[in-house]
Amino acid sequence: MKTVPIISAEKAASLVKDGDVILGGGFGMTGNPVNIIHELAKTKTKDLTFIANNVGEPNMGGGRLLNNGQLKKMIGSFFTSNREAVLAAQEGRVDYELLPQGTLAEAIRAGGAGIGGFYTPTSAGTLIAEGRETKMLNGKEQVFIEGIRGNVAIIRAWKADTAGNLQYRMTEQNFNRAMATAADIVIAEVQEIVPNGEIDPNEIHTPGCFVDYLVERKLTEEDLGSSASVGSSKVMDEKRMNMAKRAFAELKKGDVVNLGIGIPTLVADLIKPEDGIILHTENGMLGVGPEPKDGGGAMHYPVNAGKVPVTALPGSSYFDSADSFAMIRGGHIDVAIMGGLEVDAQGNLANWSVPGKPLLGVGGAMDLASGAKKLIITLRHTDRDGGSKVVENCTLPITDFNCVDMLITELAVFKFIDGQLTLIEILPGSTLEEVRKKTEAKFVELLPNV
């Protein structure tokens, strides 16, 4: 059995050269090789292309490379979690490329498997797909995505043996597993290195043949950023809870459900074990439980897609981001409940970008909108200026087309029946007259006893 060199974080950072393409593991700061990245930030290495789900957090992880001016380009899914990255992109100080989260994960997996590229329906017809080759397959427009490889992959695992076999912990697989296959040099930062044979072969997630160097560095709570403790800061008021309760009423026993951030997260608080509803989070977990009651953070608990620590219910499972989005695109998610910025009369959804605002990242929204069997959108009926968010035609960048099955606002519930926006219910505190007045889109009324 081979022996993989064990080196220092400083030595690992020195392996990165000017102009390299770097794959950086992690989802937020969870499973993030923060110690090596911070050592890289102490060097003069420059003109780097940094590929990761997001560019760390402000002055943490990839965020520190950004602030140092070491990045020439960033490629990722959700820059919004680091306002400094958004500002740098919008001001033109760094080049950037946005990919849907599942597309990014699959592109890395393809690159690691020696596959030149693939077609996906995710993002077809949207701004994200502009300039890319498209093709009609199985009656759907699909976008060609090239496989991604890097010069150096810097990843994080929980345990390694001296042969380089890696074991991940909880939701820390995320992008790490695919990235471990997709670079010329793979460096794994790990919590613990043990002798060969101490990791059961059944519990090895990344075989040692992919790994070139090991760095043993203990993780601390300070390395976890916003996931270090429970802090979802859920906004709960009567109108938001009414929307969450109405969305919950659509769920059936045995449903596999993905909840977006914002109002959809309130649905999780309504689910009881006897309901038999299985929550999925796109960063790699099935069977999501409530937030920890002891206030513990990602040092001891998995995190959800909002980077909030959660608990694992009996029967839960963990996997990586590529497998997670295979579940989504493959039609294995029964219901997705997401927030929105606009929904129009054709069932088109806009929920990822507002020109001029500090938003830059589509995350998993495009994959979920096109892949879930049923899509429920929750949004405020009007914006701060009183303008309708239920519009005749979306004016904001589209997430996906003809994808919305149900729309729930604080005023009303709409379904798309035979392709028509149809009002089916007035929520407490509202009236039909108010709904008519505040809805720009034309709709059919199908109310009981009216």
Side-chain angles (χ1 to χ4, degrees):
M1 192 67 70
K2 76 168 186 176
T3 299
V4 172
I6 300 171
I7 61 176
S8 67
E10 295 83 355
K11 174 63 177 176
S14 74
L15 298 174
V16 179
K17 307 303 181 187
D18 288 354
D20 274 353
V21 175
I22 305 301
L23 303 181
F27 184 85
M29 299 309 297
T30 304
N32 193 302
V34 62
N35 293 292
I36 298 176
I37 297 295
H38 285 179
E39 289 298 333
L40 180 58
K42 296 176 183 177
T43 72
K44 297 185 183 299
T45 311
K46 61 184 186 302
D47 295 328
L48 301 174
T49 296
F50 189 73
I51 302 176
N53 181 61
N54 52 289
V55 186
E57 294 185 3
N59 207 36
M60 290 190 71
R64 194 168 291 187
L65 300 177
L66 173 73
N67 291 348
N68 287 350
Q70 293 172 272
L71 300 187
K72 175 181 68 176
K73 184 175 183 178
M74 51 190 190
I75 300 173
S77 163
F78 196 73
F79 302 130
T80 303
S81 58
N82 184 344
R83 293 264 178 130
E84 294 169 354
V86 175
L87 190 62
Q90 292 177 336
E91 291 180 348
R93 289 185 281 115
V94 61
D95 291 336
Y96 72 93
E97 181 180 348
L98 268 176
L99 289 171
Q101 195 173 120
T103 299
L104 177 62
E106 195 65 29
I108 295 167
R109 178 157 70 177
I115 296 171
F118 57 92
Y119 285 93
T120 174
T122 302
S123 81
T126 72
L127 290 176
I128 299 291
E130 285 188 356
R132 295 188 182 276
E133 177 190 340
T134 62
K135 192 172 188 176
M136 293 298 294
L137 294 170
N138 300 320
K140 282 188 174 182
E141 183 182 13
Q142 304 207 23
V143 182
F144 182 75
I145 304 294
E146 292 185 358
I148 290 176
R149 283 189 63 87
N151 300 109
V152 182
I154 305 174
I155 64 171
R156 174 86 195 181
W158 192 249
K159 186 182 289 188
D161 64 21
T162 52
N165 296 308
L166 304 180
Q167 183 183 68
Y168 304 99
R169 186 184 69 136
M170 300 185 297
T171 48
E172 294 172 2
Q173 293 187 45
N174 50 62
F175 283 83
N176 285 304
R177 242 179 64 196
M179 287 182 174
T181 71
D184 301 328
I185 298 173
V186 175
I187 309 167
E189 176 184 311
V190 300
Q191 188 81 356
E192 180 185 13
I193 300 173
V194 299
N196 282 346
E198 284 203 15
I199 304 177
D200 188 313
N202 291 300
E203 296 176 354
I204 289 170
H205 300 115
T206 293
C209 64
F210 293 111
V211 179
D212 298 293
Y213 298 96
L214 295 173
V215 174
E216 186 176 75
R217 287 292 290 266
K218 303 297 184 186
L219 190 70
T220 67
E221 288 198 355
E222 289 73 25
D223 298 326
L224 294 169
S226 61
S227 296
S229 61
V230 171
S232 60
S233 301
K234 290 181 183 175
V235 178
M236 298 195 213
D237 58 41
E238 185 178 3
K239 289 184 177 180
R240 290 168 67 90
M241 284 308 303
N242 283 341
M243 296 163 68
K245 289 175 182 176
R246 185 60 186 82
F248 171 71
E250 291 296 309
L251 307 182
K252 304 186 299 294
K253 191 167 188 175
D255 275 350
V256 177
V257 179
N258 183 287
L259 300 177
I261 60 175
I263 293 170
T265 61
L266 301 177
V267 176
D269 297 330
L270 303 173
I271 298 172
K272 302 180 182 65
E274 58 267 27
D275 293 324
I277 293 166
I278 306 158
L279 291 184
H280 167 274
T281 181
E282 58 260 37
N283 58 307
M285 183 179 180
L286 200 60
V288 179
E291 294 175 11
K293 292 182 179 179
D294 61 7
M299 196 71 184
H300 305 288
Y301 293 99
V303 301
N304 63 18
K307 305 178 183 70
V308 174
V310 293
T311 55
L313 298 177
S316 295
S317 58
Y318 301 116
F319 33 88
D320 77 339
S321 294
D323 281 348
S324 183
F325 281 92
M327 295 176 189
I328 294 168
R329 285 190 308 273
H332 305 289
I333 305 301
D334 296 298
V335 184
I337 305 175
M338 293 197 295
L341 298 170
E342 288 180 339
V343 171
D344 70 19
Q346 293 73 49
N348 301 326
L349 169 67
N351 78 340
W352 70 275
S353 178
V354 179
K357 299 291 184 181
L359 298 172
L360 191 65
V362 69
M366 287 185 176
D367 302 273
L368 284 160
S370 64
K373 293 178 184 176
K374 181 176 182 177
L375 178 62
I376 300 172
I377 299 299
T378 61
L379 54 68
R380 288 287 190 177
H381 208 97
T382 59
D383 60 27
R384 292 180 180 179
D385 298 323
S388 181
K389 292 184 178 181
V390 187
V391 295
E392 190 63 26
N393 294 287
C394 285
T395 60
L396 297 175
I398 296 290
T399 301
D400 196 38
F401 298 89
N402 308 117
C403 58
V404 180
D405 296 292
M406 175 175 278
L407 170 61
I408 302 172
T409 78
E410 78 277 19
L411 304 183
V413 181
F414 297 87
K415 273 188 176 180
F416 284 86
I417 300 175
D418 297 327
Q420 289 187 304
L421 180 66
T422 304
L423 176 66
I424 63 168
E425 190 175 330
I426 306 294
L427 288 187
S430 180
T431 64
L432 177 57
E433 289 71 23
E434 185 180 14
V435 174
R436 287 171 175 167
K437 180 180 177 181
K438 294 183 176 180
T439 306
E440 176 193 310
K442 297 180 181 66
F443 60 88
V444 175
E445 296 176 12
L446 191 62
L447 296 168
N449 304 318
V450 174

